[in-house]
Amino acid sequence: MAVPMAVMLGFGLWGLDRGGMWGDESVTFQVAQRTVPQIWRLLHDVDAVHGLYYLFMHAVLAVHPGEVVLRLPSVCAAAATAGLVAALGVRLAGPRVGLWAGLLYAITPMTGHYAQEGRSYALVAAGVAGATLLLLRAVEAATVLAWWPYGSVVALTCLLHELAVLVLCAHAATLALMRVPRSVWSGWGRAAGAVVLLMLPLVWVSQGQSGQVAWLVTPGWDRAERLLRHFSPGPVGVVFWASLLLMAVGLRTRRLAAVALPLLLVPPGMLMTVSQVRPLFHDRYVLYSLAGASLLVAAGAGRVVGVLGRLRFDGRRVRVGGRQVHALLGVTGVLALTAAFVHHLPVHRQDRSAAHRPDNLAVVSSLALRQMRPGDPVLFVPSVGRLAALAYPKGFRQVRDIALRESAPRSGTLWGREATPGDLRHRLASVDRVWVVAETYALDPRWSPSDPVERTKLAVLAEEFTVREEHTRDGVILRLHVRRTPADAPSVEEPSTGLATAGAATAELPGPRASRPPASRPPMSRPPT
């Protein structure tokens, strides 16, 4: 357990301070720094599913509010998960398989990605791995008291993110495959029932906040394939195909497969099935299933090594039971894992770049600090862009947020409450220049927001202002709009002006965000989940 934990801790700390938070991380950062009553008020309207995590991070960031501290709980959780996966492998298939399973989990790029993110998913994965280990202990103990730790850990994990409740279905499948007696089913049933009852209030509240995941789309076979690649220590090439082959071989280790296979297949399969009717699937919601893939690959490698160890060379049998052979096989496995990691080192390096995340809010603040003058009015299009000012206030400290009516903490919202359309028109009528902070999609003339305040922003800018300056960096667009003069009025032949004209030009800018189709919902256009 110690070796995989140390390796995962090292990978997690490597490049942890990447110099910028993205949208969802910034929500954790600014919400966790509110007072407990303010957090509680927020959860009544939005993000109830993350309530326990925000309260936990409130205590963490009280020590020191910073990007590294924001991500440290995820790093520690990922390290704990690697150790727990190793412990599961030891219990189910022996020390060698346990060591390899823990290391496989640690070097998988998907693990490293969420180990360095200030959200709850790495903690949920640790909770599920711990609950799975406690499930095995409860089955072996066959006592009523043994189910209390299991139920407590599952409940705590589900409170961190309610979709972790699907692990109960995976554990039910495990018990069925293990053919446990009725008494075990009875103990598990009471524990699972208590968890479900505890979760009902959270489920009821989060149903009223389902608009937060309205941006999700129905997953197809391509998403299933992508998830499978993400669950491999290498998403492409020989490492990926070797992992698939070893998974298939690992199924022959029946006791381990009874635990790993349901964990790998049941939560993603159920969530994808439900998402055909109501889209709820995202890879990060089932990060905890990755442990099943690591266990199966390690078990497959263990069986292959066992077969090789029984081959005859020069008429002599090499026995696996010998100490020297055990050491040689263990070292060979570690070297193979090292080679797999080195082969995909560019993937790990890329993931530790701030540019690899959906948004870099530090870039927005830095750009604003350089271009805006004290007292300048600024308009966020859409309002979720205000997260940049909340996460990195330095760049916006001396400017005036012209649309803001009530701050985010006071209003009990994620990014504040804005003025009404009429009031916003009145405010914009009093200025001759305004800076607009937006992503590319918001400036596309085909983007039609449902919020009347957002429509008012676009309409006033197009009717009364023209673009004087434009600055772009990493997909972030900062524009200075000045009030239109008679000379700026559009001709009859060319009625398209203002924001729409500038947006059409911006849509041709290079880069992944500029190429995003207008019908899609970019990360900054939705509430975090």
Side-chain angles (χ1 to χ4, degrees):
M1 287 179 61
V3 174
M5 290 180 69
V7 170
M8 184 68 252
L9 186 63
F11 287 165
L13 293 175
W14 170 35
L16 188 61
D17 185 10
R18 56 179 174 267
M21 291 181 282
W22 75 286
D24 283 10
E25 281 189 312
S26 73
V27 170
T28 300
F29 188 71
Q30 57 107 352
V31 170
Q33 292 184 78
R34 301 182 187 184
T35 65
V36 172
Q38 287 174 336
I39 296 175
W40 180 250
R41 181 185 176 189
L42 172 76
L43 301 180
H44 285 75
D45 296 317
V46 69
D47 259 2
V49 68
H50 293 300
L52 180 61
Y53 176 67
Y54 288 152
L55 292 172
F56 168 69
M57 292 304 297
H58 174 77
V60 171
L61 292 181
V63 177
H64 176 71
E67 292 180 33
V68 172
V69 175
L70 173 72
R71 298 172 184 136
L72 273 179
S74 294
V75 174
C76 295
T81 308
L84 290 167
V85 170
L88 284 167
V90 171
R91 179 176 286 267
L92 295 169
R96 187 171 61 233
V97 170
L99 173 65
W100 291 346
L103 290 175
L104 276 165
Y105 186 87
I107 69 170
T108 300
M110 187 178 187
T111 303
H113 180 91
Y114 290 105
Q116 294 197 327
E117 191 162 285
R119 296 300 273 174
S120 63
Y121 307 110
L123 279 74
V124 171
V128 168
T132 304
L133 186 60
L134 290 171
L135 174 73
L136 296 178
R137 291 181 177 177
V139 169
E140 293 173 1
T143 62
V144 175
L145 291 178
W147 292 104
W148 279 98
Y150 168 78
S152 300
V153 172
V154 173
L156 187 63
T157 304
C158 293
L159 289 174
L160 282 171
H161 199 284
E162 64 184 0
L163 290 180
V165 75
L166 295 175
V167 75
L168 290 175
C169 301
H171 288 168
T174 291
L175 296 181
L177 291 172
M178 293 175 68
R179 298 182 180 180
V180 298
R182 184 176 299 178
S183 59
V184 172
W185 277 107
S186 177
W188 177 84
R190 286 193 291 268
V195 171
V196 172
L197 287 175
L198 180 65
M199 290 296 297
L200 286 178
L202 177 60
V203 173
W204 181 75
V205 172
S206 63
Q207 285 299 305
Q209 301 173 2
S210 59
Q212 287 189 272
V213 292
W215 58 276
L216 291 171
V217 297
T218 302
W221 288 110
D222 59 326
R223 296 297 298 275
E225 179 187 356
R226 189 178 78 171
L227 181 66
L228 185 60
R229 290 184 180 275
H230 285 174
F231 279 2
S232 167
V236 294
V238 64
V239 176
F240 172 69
W241 293 110
S243 298
L244 286 185
L245 180 61
L246 290 175
M247 277 189 203
V249 175
L251 293 175
R252 296 183 62 84
T253 308
R254 294 186 178 180
R255 190 160 181 262
L256 182 143
V259 175
L261 190 62
L263 185 59
L264 172 64
L265 296 181
V266 172
M270 291 186 67
L271 197 56
M272 283 189 175
T273 301
V274 171
S275 295
Q276 302 305 309
V277 179
R278 181 180 176 183
L280 290 172
F281 178 81
H282 196 284
D283 295 0
R284 60 191 175 205
Y285 299 161
V286 289
L287 170 67
Y288 55 84
S289 291
L290 192 156
S294 299
L295 286 166
L296 283 174
V297 173
R303 292 192 69 88
V304 170
V305 165
V307 171
L308 292 176
R310 289 191 293 270
L311 294 178
R312 291 180 181 273
F313 298 99
D314 298 327
R316 301 178 64 184
R317 182 184 296 274
V318 180
R319 296 186 180 278
V320 178
R323 291 183 179 180
Q324 292 181 344
V325 175
H326 267 297
L328 178 62
L329 293 177
V331 170
T332 302
V334 172
L335 288 176
L337 292 173
T338 303
F341 173 76
V342 172
H343 182 67
H344 287 91
L345 190 58
V347 177
H348 292 275
R349 284 178 174 170
Q350 182 187 39
D351 199 57
R352 280 152 179 80
S353 168
H356 189 63
R357 304 285 164 160
D359 307 283
N360 186 352
L361 302 186
V363 169
V364 184
S365 180
S366 175
L367 196 58
L369 182 63
R370 288 198 308 271
Q371 302 299 333
M372 296 183 187
R373 301 184 310 206
D376 275 350
V378 60
L379 192 65
F380 295 96
V381 183
S383 58
V384 65
R386 190 173 288 108
L387 287 176
L390 293 170
Y392 297 97
K394 182 179 179 180
F396 299 89
R397 190 161 289 153
Q398 294 183 321
V399 299
R400 178 163 55 103
D401 190 340
I402 195 168
L404 186 64
R405 182 179 61 183
E406 191 176 13
S407 68
R410 292 187 60 186
S411 63
T413 62
L414 289 176
W415 41 79
R417 206 179 302 279
E418 295 194 321
T420 62
D423 191 22
L424 180 58
R425 281 185 176 273
H426 178 73
R427 294 184 183 189
L428 289 172
S430 65
V431 299
D432 293 325
R433 49 184 274 145
V434 59
W435 286 96
V436 174
V437 178
E439 286 196 356
T440 304
Y441 76 93
L443 302 181
D444 192 296
R446 294 167 291 179
W447 183 60
S448 180
S450 58
D451 188 344
V453 177
E454 302 298 342
R455 292 200 302 270
T456 300
K457 294 176 187 177
L458 298 179
V460 172
L461 289 171
E463 295 166 5
E464 302 180 18
F465 291 83
T466 187
V467 178
R468 173 68 60 83
E469 297 178 21
E470 179 175 304
H471 307 273
T472 305
R473 181 181 172 188
D474 295 340
V476 177
I477 296 177
L478 182 64
R479 281 184 177 169
L480 175 61
H481 289 251
V482 296
R483 186 161 298 280
R484 198 182 294 279
T485 64
D488 298 321
S491 64
V492 176
E493 292 80 5
E494 297 179 306
S496 180
T497 59
L499 192 66
T501 302
T506 306
E508 300 301 320
L509 290 172
R513 290 180 182 158
S515 63
R516 193 194 310 270
S520 67
R521 297 179 65 102
M524 286 289 288
S525 68
R526 59 170 176 82
T529 56

